[in-house]
Amino acid sequence: MRRMMFLVLMLNVFFLSGESLSELPIDKWPRDKEIDDKVKQIVKRMDWWAKKTEGLDALGWNIFFCRLGEKLMKIGIKGLPYMLESVRDEHLDWETRVTIVSNIPYMEGIDTLHRVVISALGEILLDKRINESVRAGICSYCLEKLKDTSATPYLIQVMEDKSNPERVRWCAAHAFVFIPDERAVKPLLKNLDEDPSMEVKKISISALGAIGRKTGNKAMVPKLMGIVEDKGRNPLRYFAISALGAMKEDRLVPLLTQSIKNKDKRDFDVVIWALGNIGTPECKEVLLQLLKDEDESIRFNAANALIKTGDKGAISEVERSLERFSSGYREVIGKALKEAKKE
């Protein structure tokens, strides 16, 4: 009897210790029938509701699912084995399974379990038999929220396999906007040449810009500069300017200033934003000139860009230009000026 009580006590300690659990794959964790039964009941209620309201904009749907999600979170990491089995279960509605996945990053104690959780979810992500929405949800609602580079090999594998659905490849690339792992740079650049989807190419550029901004990696700059220099109607140009602008890439400035001198109206809003974000004296000078443009929308974008530079002289010029704006634009700029002064 004492031996049995000791084993039960040790099992509870094991369950309460995130560090101990982090050493075992989730499918090897000790199981607690009471916990499994609680999770099972919550999942059953979720699935009943998801199937009942399928295709309907049912009143209270979000509230109902949020409340059930909160119950899963209260159970916490001890319920992960049954939760992940449910994510694999093709008999369950995809919304049920994505709801389960979306709650995992916010569970208490999950920070010590990233590696084993990502390993389990990565295997599900790579399984092409799993519903497309569930696989996309794993990328968008869990892996990118955990922001852990241990997810990188799984995400890269999904991107590189072009037989995966476009939506799943897009979500895998999008995750790197939040996971600044330099190992993803080459695969993302490869997407620009090899992925058949224009949408995947666009989000790959955004991810490259995020990685470059957060890590200082410049390997993507030549490719992105080439896209900006393209004289044609390249649909990727907007995204390349945005990415390089986010990285504060000085080499972009001459291309943007020349574009403005040539009165090239392509992607004008992001050109102005990039100049403001880079914020060199040359950029500010160009923006001050645009503040006098005949086109009110150009003046408006230039004013916002100048305000965001935080330069007091530039902000004063924007204040002096307020009377040249119509009431709607003036109100928006006035609010931006007040916020800038608070900072």
Side-chain angles (χ1 to χ4, degrees), residues 209-220:
I211 294 171
R213 177 173 61 84
K214 294 171 184 176
T215 68
N217 188 304
K218 299 283 188 179
M220 69 291 291

Side-chain angles (χ1 to χ4, degrees), residues 57-211:
D57 185 16
L59 183 63
W61 184 93
N62 284 329
I63 296 173
F64 183 84
F65 263 63
C66 283
R67 285 176 178 169
L68 290 175
E70 287 172 2
K71 289 185 177 183
L72 285 179
M73 288 179 65
K74 285 181 180 178
I75 292 172
I77 59 176
K78 292 183 287 185
L80 280 173
Y82 193 90
M83 290 181 203
L84 291 174
E85 286 178 6
S86 299
V87 174
R88 276 193 175 276
D89 189 349
E90 287 292 302
H91 294 99
L92 296 175
D93 189 88
W94 69 268
E95 288 180 294
T96 302
R97 296 151 73 192
V98 170
T99 301
I100 294 169
V101 164
S102 67
N103 280 282
I104 291 175
Y106 308 103
M107 289 180 176
E108 186 176 349
I110 202 68
D111 289 346
T112 62
L113 298 171
H114 280 192
R115 185 178 57 81
V116 291
V117 169
I118 288 170
S119 176
L121 287 170
E123 290 178 9
I124 299 173
L125 175 61
L126 296 178
D127 188 344
K128 294 181 182 179
R129 297 169 299 177
I130 299 295
N131 178 280
E132 174 184 330
S133 296
V134 174
R135 297 175 72 203
I138 288 171
C139 295
S140 298
Y141 301 119
C142 194
L143 298 184
E144 74 175 40
K145 297 295 187 293
L146 292 173
K147 300 179 182 180
D148 194 304
T149 55
S150 62
T152 295
Y154 300 105
L155 295 168
I156 289 175
Q157 192 169 334
V158 168
M159 287 195 306
E160 289 183 334
D161 186 347
K162 305 308 177 188
S163 67
N164 281 314
E166 176 188 38
R167 182 183 175 195
V168 178
R169 300 197 314 277
W170 187 95
C171 289
H174 184 268
F176 287 113
V177 173
F178 301 92
I179 304 173
D181 192 336
E182 294 179 82
R183 290 177 294 172
V185 171
K186 285 185 179 179
L188 287 165
L189 284 169
K190 197 174 178 182
N191 276 349
L192 302 186
D193 293 322
E194 297 183 5
D195 200 282
S197 166
M198 184 58 67
E199 296 307 312
V200 172
K201 290 179 179 181
K202 289 175 182 177
I203 196 61
S204 294
I205 291 176
S206 297
L208 286 166
I211 294 171

